[in-house]
Amino acid sequence: MAVVTLLSDFIDGTSMALAEDTDAADLNAFMTANQGRLWASVQQRRRQRQQTIERRGPGTLYFAADAPGAAAVERYLGSETGSAEEAAALQAMRSAGVEIAPHVGADRERDVLLNGRLKDLKAQAKANGFG
């Protein structure tokens, strides 16, 4: 079964990754059928913890079609930003065919993504080369 993961970095310096199983064939099919559901779950969990829901720019979606891809995403998310382990995990995700795409929710996030105004972000929040 496929797994889709949403990673978001928030203005309070915290990050949250939330994953769910899906029967969708690819990321586009998931987003068409379930638009906003994963982000709504992130918002709900953060409100329960009394944390901000305002992100530092767009989030990132990872779509793994199978268990090896899902494991590669988990390794990537668990690695230290900028490390050799992170680079190897990113390569493993690409080799496993994991789809990676920006996730925008608010108009402000869309503006940030399209106009390249990603300021004061931690290195892991600066997404390069979605594909």
Side-chain angles (χ1 to χ4, degrees), residues 73-87:
V73 172
E74 285 186 36
R75 278 193 307 276
Y76 177 75
L77 295 178
S79 61
E80 185 178 334
T81 302
S83 67
E85 178 188 6
E86 180 189 47

Side-chain angles (χ1 to χ4, degrees), residues 1-54:
M1 179 170 279
V3 177
V4 65
T5 304
L6 170 60
L7 173 65
S8 298
D9 292 306
F10 295 88
I11 61 168
D12 62 1
T14 62
S15 297
M16 180 177 272
L18 195 61
E20 71 176 42
D21 294 337
T22 180
D23 292 328
D26 57 27
L27 183 56
N28 188 56
F30 175 83
M31 290 303 294
T32 302
N34 302 292
Q35 189 173 14
R37 188 175 74 199
L38 196 56
W39 175 233
S41 296
V42 169
Q43 290 177 313
Q44 180 182 20
R45 288 186 185 194
R46 290 188 65 83
R47 283 187 177 118
Q48 287 171 347
R49 297 174 185 174
Q50 299 181 339
Q51 294 175 307
T52 180
I53 59 167
E54 188 175 344

